[in-house]
Amino acid sequence: MSLLQPYFQQFATAFTPAFSISCPHSFYVSVSKRSFISCCSSQSQTAVVNGTFDSKIAERDEIRLGLPSKGRMAADTLDLLKDCQLSIKQVNPRQYVAQIPQLSNVEVWFQRPKDIVRKLLSGDLDLGIVGLDIVSEYGQGNEDLIIVHDALEYGDCRLSLAIPKYGIFENINSLRKLAEMPQWTIEKPLRVATGFTYLGPKFMKENGLKHVAFSTADGALEAAPAMGIADAILDLVSSGTTLKENNLKEIEGGVVLESQAVLVASRKALIRRKGALDTTHEILERFEAHLRALGQFTVTANMRGSSAEEVAERVLSQPSLAGLQGPTISPVFCKRDGKVAADYYAIVICVPKKALYKSVQQLRAIGGSGVLISPLTYIFDEETPRWRELLSKLGI
């Protein structure tokens, strides 16, 4: 990777963490301003000037990876790393720092998801795994954040607007109809309870809801409409069961964002910090190989035939037996009458779980026998498409 270093460019960025929103007079937003206190380590060289970050890469040699510290996201992240042969070595479970023995010079820091995003921007972390919703809310479109892998296959949810099923909302089933309701005025705006005070106002403005007031609420937001402190909520939804149990409904056009766990990086760290790009490449390759193999099985069978080409013709006549790039067919040798002969051929294909039984049936129908099935752990490509995309984003 050192050959790429001469092509690295310097990047500068600014990040505005305050939740105040500048809007035209036709769009009423009520969002409390909050002061922001940087909670970065003493090693970083970060100044907050007029509400923006002046970020420099910290004077340190190790590469820092931020992981969620609690909850389901934390457990699923550790499971993914373990499945990719990246074990977390933590001397004390109460400590916030750990190591990954398979990745030299990498420190793992357990943080709250929103702090992972903030510390990526401030230069205190180089890589992180969080939900896309957190990156979007606390990153606020900052160009220094790069999504390295956008689909880690867990933490699936959606940020969605929900309104009551009853009262004035009984016949409202779309965002367009909600916006057309005559009740909403500057004096009496639509009240929305949410913790997403950046994405919420941005979404409403983009979708023509002119008179909206946002508030935050402690605890479960689902109770806010029933308590009379909000008309609607904007919150993360997985199955939707909790909404139904609280007489709330999602509406057409009301999904702000589809989210799942992502691998995110600091652009400046990838370019400036020694070894960061190489480490990112290895993590990305491990993730890609493992995730591509999920739900895939290796199917091996023996088939009598006159030649490998003749057996291949039979196999490829069946639509479910093509494999990733075609079947692998090799002779099965046996000794008969003192001579080595190849009357059978071994067929190896890769089959997705949903097509597994159908593929076995097709193999047997064309003469396959001794069918063996085993799950796949990794599928490595010559080069992962996401790696090429990352280099393109970095201008390399």
Side-chain angles (χ1 to χ4, degrees), residues 147-270:
I147 303 296
V148 178
H149 197 300
D150 60 350
L152 296 182
E153 303 295 339
Y154 64 93
D156 295 74
C157 61
R158 59 190 177 273
L159 180 60
S160 187
L161 185 69
I163 59 176
K165 297 179 180 179
Y166 49 84
I168 61 173
F169 299 104
E170 185 175 0
N171 297 316
I172 303 300
N173 295 304
S174 70
L175 190 66
R176 180 182 59 82
K177 289 185 178 181
L178 181 66
E180 292 172 351
M181 292 178 70
Q183 285 90 340
W184 319 129
T185 63
I186 293 178
E187 292 77 20
K188 189 179 178 182
L190 173 71
R191 300 169 301 159
V192 179
T194 186
F196 291 84
T197 50
Y198 168 75
L199 291 176
K202 181 175 180 289
F203 176 77
M204 293 297 192
K205 181 180 177 181
E206 291 172 348
N207 285 276
L209 278 85
K210 298 180 178 180
H211 309 301
V212 184
F214 287 88
S215 64
T216 57
D218 295 329
L221 292 180
E222 291 83 3
M227 295 178 68
I229 59 177
D231 302 303
I233 68 170
L234 184 66
D235 202 9
L236 295 176
V237 180
S238 294
S239 65
T241 301
T242 304
L243 292 180
K244 293 177 183 178
E245 291 176 348
N246 286 275
N247 290 316
L248 298 174
K249 61 183 178 182
E250 295 179 87
I251 56 177
E252 180 184 346
V255 176
V256 178
L257 179 74
E258 296 282 354
S259 180
Q260 63 177 297
V262 300
L263 174 64
V264 61
S266 160
R267 182 189 298 267
K268 287 190 291 292
L270 293 181

Side-chain angles (χ1 to χ4, degrees), residues 10 59 95 124 145 204 216 234 267 372 374 388:
Q10 303 296 313
E59 297 282 344
Q95 289 180 335
D124 288 282
L145 293 178
M204 293 297 192
T216 57
L234 184 66
R267 182 189 298 267
L372 304 177
S374 57
R388 294 194 295 269

